[in-house]
Amino acid sequence: MVEEKKHIHILVVDDELGMRDLLSLELKGQGYQVSVAENGKEATEIIRKQKFDLVISDLSMPQMDGITLLQNIKEVDPELEVIMATGHGTIESAVKAMKNGAYDFILKPFNLDELSLLIEKALEKKKLKTLLALSEASQAVFSTIELDRLLEVIMAMLQKVLGADECSIMLLNEKNKLAIVASHGLSSEIAQHTQLEIGERVAGAVAKERRARLLIDGLENYPEFSGVESNKRVKSSIICPLLSQGELLGVLNISRTNQGNNFNWNDLQSTIIFASQAASAIQNAKLYQNLKKANQEI
């Protein structure tokens, strides 16, 4: 759990400096990443630029109250859980916040142990929702044995479950090169003519290492990919090998453009799980395709 906490990013929103400092110090001490904002307006701007796992916000703040902030949050990221902090005199507002999508509320002054437990429950709910979405995605990819239809389903699930703006599946061809067999958001020229050797560029490196990679803010921050031409529109990417029973089938590529948030560690874990299921389904579909071809020849 300690290893997981360092990848969890919490935003604390409160107009009281002392409260911001207290929560920031406590949550960082527990291993979480923490950002702070002193009002709803500032918090809204931060959330539009960064990806968070949880928001803890005061209800009564100047410039923008907690209810308005909550509504803004749900517009930007409907799945983001929000815990509201409130005084005894604003219980009605706290109930209103719950009706508007807040996970729960906690009364000030609050017990830090009680808050920690509430945070864990909110994050657990978020994790369960992600696992449910992955389960539904896995059922979808195993719903067909036809390879072409399967690749279409995988493309749709990458967009729906992982929030990919651009995505592609690369499979090893008869020349043992990675070739794009399905894509979304890529030009037809790139999709039709891209072929990579194992070890070539980012996708080839992932195939060679057989290890998924999370890239944020383009390739400029990664010395091992210096000199590799990259799409300037891409803000963040996850590249994941497709492995079935130890055999490399290809690579899964998903990206978010400059208009979206960076992928995070949780997205990487979800992609690895989904890629494992997708690889099994692709292997089954290829075996069926080969069997069908053999029967036709006979």
Side-chain angles (χ1 to χ4, degrees):
M1 183 64 182
V2 175
E3 174 67 20
E4 185 177 346
K5 280 185 176 181
K6 73 178 186 180
H7 299 289
I8 294 172
H9 200 171
I10 298 175
L11 176 63
V12 174
V13 190
D14 202 300
D15 59 315
E16 296 181 22
L17 176 60
M19 184 59 68
R20 293 198 304 274
D21 288 346
L22 172 65
L23 289 178
S24 180
L25 184 64
E26 174 66 22
L27 295 175
K28 285 181 179 178
Q30 293 182 27
Y32 296 109
Q33 294 183 55
V34 183
S35 293
V36 297
E38 62 178 297
N39 56 59
K41 184 178 179 182
E42 181 184 359
T44 299
E45 293 174 355
I46 292 174
I47 289 169
R48 284 176 177 155
K49 296 177 182 178
Q50 289 181 261
K51 184 81 172 177
F52 291 91
D53 299 286
L54 180 69
V55 175
I56 303 172
S57 175
D58 190 17
L59 259 173
S60 301
M61 296 180 291
Q63 296 191 44
M64 182 186 293
D65 62 17
I67 297 294
T68 305
L69 170 60
L70 175 62
Q71 293 169 343
N72 289 345
I73 289 172
K74 293 302 177 180
E75 287 180 4
V76 176
D77 185 354
E79 302 303 317
L80 182 55
E81 299 295 351
V82 181
I83 295 173
M84 288 294 186
T86 180
H88 287 278
T90 55
I91 294 296
E92 289 185 6
S93 296
V95 172
K96 183 179 178 182
M98 300 260 316
K99 290 180 178 179
N100 277 272
Y103 172 75
D104 207 339
F105 68 91
I106 188 167
L107 294 175
K108 288 182 174 182
F110 46 73
N111 181 288
L112 289 175
D113 290 336
E114 181 183 350
L115 177 62
S116 295
L117 182 60
L118 194 57
I119 290 171
E120 290 180 10
K121 287 182 177 179
L123 293 172
E124 187 65 26
K125 178 187 175 184
K126 184 179 178 70
K127 184 188 296 184
L128 289 173
K129 288 166 71 174
T130 300
L131 290 175
L132 177 60
L134 286 172
S135 175
E136 293 174 348
S138 296
Q139 291 177 28
V141 299
F142 283 109
S143 66
T144 178
I145 199 69
E146 295 288 348
L147 184 58
D148 289 343
R149 173 57 186 153
L150 172 61
L151 296 176
E152 291 177 2
V153 171
I154 293 174
M155 286 291 99
M157 290 299 103
L158 291 174
Q159 296 167 63
K160 178 181 178 181
V161 178
L162 297 168
D165 299 317
E166 297 178 358
C167 48
S168 66
I169 300 172
M170 306 182 81
L171 297 181
L172 289 173
N173 60 19
E174 64 280 357
K175 298 179 181 178
N176 204 41
K177 291 185 177 182
L178 293 168
I180 296 176
V181 295
S183 66
H184 168 78
L186 299 181
S187 70
S188 58
E189 183 178 353
I190 291 176
Q192 292 172 12
H193 297 102
T194 298
Q195 289 194 19
L196 301 178
E197 300 279 359
I198 300 297
E200 183 182 359
R201 301 186 62 174
V202 183
V206 166
K208 182 178 180 179
E209 297 170 4
R210 300 191 175 196
R211 179 174 64 91
R213 291 293 303 265
L214 167 64
L215 306 175
I216 60 174
D217 296 326
L219 295 182
E220 289 76 11
N221 299 322
Y222 304 90
E224 67 269 37
F225 300 125
S226 62
V228 175
E229 185 179 350
S230 63
N231 188 339
K232 299 302 181 182
R233 291 178 57 249
V234 172
K235 179 179 179 64
S236 180
S237 298
I238 294 176
I239 305 93
C240 188
L242 290 166
L243 301 168
S244 178
Q245 298 180 338
E247 179 185 352
L248 177 69
L249 303 182
V251 173
L252 199 65
N253 303 289
I254 65 174
S255 298
R256 287 178 181 162
T257 63
N258 290 323
Q259 287 71 41
N261 290 312
N262 280 314
F263 287 114
N264 58 26
W265 184 82
N266 291 324
D267 296 320
L268 176 63
Q269 301 309 305
S270 296
T271 304
I272 292 172
I273 294 171
F274 180 74
S276 175
Q277 299 298 312
S280 296
I282 290 172
Q283 182 75 307
N284 291 341
K286 290 181 71 175
L287 290 172
Y288 172 76
Q289 188 180 62
N290 292 338
L291 179 61
K292 187 177 179 179
K293 182 180 179 181
N295 286 335
Q296 288 173 345
E297 291 175 352
I298 293 173

